[in-house]
Amino acid sequence: METVHLKINNIPVEVPQGYTILQAAKAANIEIPTLCYLKDINCIGACRVCMVEAQKDGRPLRGLLAACVYPAEEGLEVFTNTPAVIKSRKTTLELLLSNHNKKCLSCTRNQHCELQKLAAEYGVDEDRFPSEEPIYEIDDLSPYIVRDNNKCINCMRCVAACKNV
Amino acid sequence: MGALTEKSQEDKVWEAIADPTKQVLFFTAPSIKATLGEAFDMPIGTNVEGKMAAAIKRLGANVKAFNMDFTADLTIIEEANELVQRIKNGGTLPMFTSCCPGWVKFVEHYYPEFLPNLSTCKSPQAMFGAVLKGYYCQKNGIDPKDVFVVSVIPCTAKKFEATRPQLRSDENYDDVDVALTTRELARMIKRAAINFTDLPEEDFDAPFNKATGGGIIFGATGGVLEAALRTAARLLDGDFKKIDFEEVRGPEAVREVTYEVAGVKINVAVTSGLGNARMLLEKIKKGEANYQMVEIMACPGGCINGGGQPTRSDSVSNYVDYKALRSKALYDLDKNSELRVCEESPIIKMVYDEFFETPGAEKAHHYLHTSYVARSKYYT
């Protein structure tokens, strides 16, 4: 099996070719936060929470990379927690929350919510981008399932689960 | 993020518990004991059967907690008998399991030509409803209108199943009044301020308190087929000894095995996830496979990974094999059970002696079997 060598937060890592940065980081026991990623089911780089900084041959790569889809390359040096990365994640979360119904207290996901958890960890200002009033009608046509698109963050996980499982 | 949730039916149950004229009869599906603990921060795969029974009994003085593993045993008695009859009498084969309501409705919508292949056996949830409003009420002289039947299931589709008119053993009422997910039961326990982790281990209420290993493994993919094989093989060959059919257990996407019992070849297949189900059905349609029995669960891994189970964080979903940990709890229980073949259960003997007569008998058929309907592909 062909492998590639890279560094993540200065830690040397050797992983099989074809691994993503996210998988390589996991192999080195380094956590990178994700929202839309579902192993083997949804891997589309949609939420932009897993962004990392990287350089190759001493030169920084342009922009940030989505770790869940960017391949681990030979000689890549990845940094998962730089000020630029943290600022990007925080702004991304604030943007996600700008059109998210934030009534956490009455949400069934309260205290079991990945978005809520990351928002707390990154110290977001939930009102940095003021939200509009809820715009989607709640769909409770089914007798047993409720769909509230005002809480949807376009992670596409439900679509992927229906398509790929 | 809370965009998709089940409609909570907890309030209906609280109302019934508050009604002194009602007996509230709970029963919990095989997989719940392996998952409910997670809602109380216990390690994944902890068996909390004793605490779960204790918690349900503490929800109200008129509440009883029964063990649905018993009707999993009952399902197998009927289903294994049906399989043997189909094999002997040239009935429609392969026979498909019918315990998973997501799978059943999938066939009704997308593959109605396979409806005759679905076992006519009701699911364990539906059988328990029929046992309670039929046998139990009659035996104890209770008007079925005075009991409120609550199933606890790992599944949002079971909420739909409970309202299927084809499952009514009396046309005037549903056999199961409310189906609660594992998450809803956990919320009820929390709202009742019951300190779950500190509860003593208690037994389920008699008479439906015990089951065999065959009923317990219903909660994991391959479990229904394995339990059915244990019983069917003994129907074909009275001296059959094998109990563990490890070949049909997870985690491969599709498991295909051939067994030979008393000169009869039995080809079986197991899969879970509707994508895999579609693939298997297409294979059967094209004549590329020749099975006698097929087990399909809509959720990958079976009920232990059902849509009503406690939610997990991404770090668990993506990096911990929680399906293996949860199913291990069930297979460990099976391994350590004194009785592992469904017909060995004394409760099974009791309900047939006192009520259902024999497997497949007319009375058993009325209460324990059902029918299906072809549905359109589109919501109308």
Side-chain angles (χ1 to χ4, degrees):
Chain A
M1 184 172 49
E2 275 197 57
T3 59
V4 293
H5 305 77
L6 66 161
K7 280 185 177 168
I8 303 177
N9 298 348
N10 299 315
I11 299 169
V13 192
E14 183 184 355
V15 292
Q17 187 140 31
Y19 263 40
T20 60
I21 292 177
L22 183 68
Q23 288 171 308
K26 186 66 194 173
N29 212 12
I30 295 165
E31 291 279 341
I32 297 173
T34 57
L35 276 178
C36 67
Y37 174 72
L38 262 189
K39 190 172 161 246
D40 302 331
I41 297 171
N42 199 36
C43 195
I44 57 172
C47 74
R48 318 311 280 176
V49 163
C50 66
M51 304 308 272
V52 294
E53 223 177 328
Q55 59 179 30
K56 207 169 181 182
D57 307 323
R59 279 199 303 274
L61 268 64
R62 262 184 74 193
L64 302 177
L65 314 175
C68 73
V69 286
Y70 200 91
E73 287 170 0
E74 183 68 34
L76 201 65
E77 287 183 73
V78 178
F79 303 94
T80 68
N81 287 317
T82 63
V85 164
I86 289 169
K87 190 179 166 204
S88 156
R89 286 186 193 146
K90 184 174 172 180
T91 306
T92 298
L93 289 164
E94 287 167 338
L95 284 166
L96 284 173
L97 288 168
S98 72
N99 61 355
H100 180 77
N101 174 316
K102 293 182 283 288
K103 290 187 173 169
C104 290
L105 272 179
S106 53
C107 180
T108 54
R109 276 295 195 145
N110 192 22
Q111 297 180 314
H112 306 279
C113 173
E114 299 292 311
L115 181 59
Q116 191 184 45
K117 178 172 162 273
L118 283 175
E121 286 172 2
Y122 282 82
V124 305
D125 172 355
E126 62 178 26
D127 289 324
R128 179 162 166 218
F129 305 105
S131 40
E132 295 177 17
E133 284 304 299
I135 35 177
Y136 297 106
E137 220 176 294
I138 291 175
D139 176 356
D140 62 353
L141 202 64
S142 151
Y144 310 105
I145 303 274
V146 188
R147 176 169 157 178
D148 181 355
N149 273 351
N150 302 298
K151 292 191 178 155
C152 171
I153 59 161
N154 295 328
C155 67
M156 308 297 279
R157 281 167 31 156
C158 63
V159 176
C162 289
K163 191 163 162 249
N164 303 333
V165 173
Chain B
M1 320 310 152
L4 286 172
T5 51
E6 77 266 43
K7 255 183 206 174
S8 165
Q9 292 177 294
E10 294 148 60
D11 287 349
K12 278 186 174 174
V13 181
W14 286 119
E15 272 170 36
I17 292 174
D19 181 347
T21 66
K22 291 259 195 253
Q23 276 202 39
V24 183
L25 308 176
F26 274 70
F27 55 84
T28 56
S31 66
I32 314 295
K33 63 174 92 59
T35 59
L36 181 64
E38 290 170 37
F40 300 93
D41 298 325
M42 294 164 87
I44 298 171
T46 308
N47 168 24
V48 296
E49 183 174 284
K51 287 184 193 296
M52 176 173 73
I56 292 171
K57 290 189 219 172
R58 280 161 178 73
L59 290 175
N62 53 346
V63 173
K64 281 193 193 305
F66 293 135
N67 185 358
M68 188 171 128
D69 303 6
F70 147 65
T71 44
D73 281 342
L74 188 58
T75 302
I76 287 303
I77 301 300
E78 290 294 325
E79 198 161 335
N81 179 67
E82 184 184 349
L83 175 68
V84 171
Q85 295 306 324
R86 284 184 187 226
I87 290 175
K88 281 188 174 164
N89 304 331
T92 308
L93 292 171
M95 184 178 84
F96 296 151
T97 55
S98 59
C99 345
C100 170
W103 154 242
V104 166
K105 198 143 179 286
F106 174 79
V107 178
E108 290 182 329
H109 279 294
Y110 297 102
Y111 290 91
E113 66 270 31
F114 281 112
L115 288 178
N117 297 71
L118 281 172
S119 160
T120 60
C121 292
K122 288 184 184 175
S123 70
Q125 163 177 281
M127 282 199 185
F128 218 136
V131 164
L132 291 174
K133 291 206 175 160
Y135 164 81
Y136 182 82
C137 282
Q138 200 175 72
K139 184 178 176 179
N140 296 294
I142 309 168
D143 184 338
K145 290 190 182 68
D146 293 334
V147 298
F148 191 83
V149 173
V150 182
S151 70
V152 183
I153 32 72
C155 181
T156 44
K158 284 272 176 209
K159 286 177 179 282
F160 164 77
E161 187 198 85
T163 65
R164 284 177 72 101
Q166 301 86 356
L167 290 173
R168 293 183 168 195
S169 39
D170 182 312
E171 60 183 30
N172 297 311
Y173 47 78
D174 284 328
D175 288 350
V176 174
D177 292 288
V178 164
L180 295 178
T181 61
T182 318
R183 290 192 290 266
E184 289 176 286
L185 175 64
R187 270 199 300 266
M188 286 190 72
I189 294 170
K190 286 177 184 174
R191 197 172 294 180
I194 293 166
N195 192 344
F196 187 80
T197 44
D198 288 348
L199 284 174
E201 313 250 325
E202 290 177 10
D203 289 332
F204 284 109
D205 282 305
F208 310 118
N209 48 0
K210 295 250 176 340
T212 71
I216 292 166
I217 57 175
F218 256 61
T221 172
V224 177
L225 184 72
E226 180 167 350
L229 285 170
R230 289 178 190 175
T231 295
R234 282 160 179 78
L235 286 173
L236 291 165
D237 172 3
D239 296 324
F240 195 84
K241 289 283 178 292
K242 183 179 166 94
I243 288 183
D244 292 296
F245 292 76
E246 277 159 9
E247 307 79 10
V248 301
R249 298 178 190 174
E252 295 80 17
V254 181
R255 282 92 72 196
E256 297 172 284
V257 196
T258 300
Y259 296 102
E260 199 172 328
V261 185
V264 182
K265 268 212 172 116
I266 305 180
N267 298 323
V268 297
V270 186
T271 196
S272 59
L274 290 176
N276 289 329
R278 197 183 279 274
M279 192 184 71
L280 207 63
L281 288 178
E282 289 297 331
K283 216 170 137 181
I284 295 169
K285 228 169 152 174
K286 286 187 198 132
E288 289 166 12
N290 175 30
Y291 309 115
Q292 272 68 48
M293 186 169 175
V294 176
E295 181 205 293
I296 293 179
M297 298 292 156
C299 293
C303 306
I304 44 107
N305 188 31
Q309 298 286 26
T311 51
R312 307 157 303 275
S313 70
D314 282 6
S315 52
V316 173
S317 287
N318 287 327
Y319 303 113
V320 179
D321 193 354
Y322 63 96
K323 285 181 265 187
L325 293 169
R326 288 172 175 177
S327 19
K328 185 175 181 299
L330 300 183
Y331 283 110
D332 283 352
L333 265 176
D334 169 41
K335 201 166 71 190
N336 297 321
S337 292
E338 236 173 276
L339 306 175
R340 300 185 62 197
V341 185
C342 298
E343 65 267 27
E344 292 169 349
S345 158
I347 306 169
I348 290 292
K349 192 175 174 324
M350 176 183 80
V351 295
Y352 276 103
D353 286 353
E354 295 182 11
F355 198 71
F356 296 121
E357 296 158 12
T358 53
E362 207 183 312
K363 199 160 184 186
H365 232 271
H366 172 71
Y367 283 98
L368 306 177
H369 289 253
T370 185
S371 59
Y372 307 102
V373 284
R375 296 174 198 265
S376 146
K377 276 184 194 160
Y378 305 99
Y379 197 84
T380 46

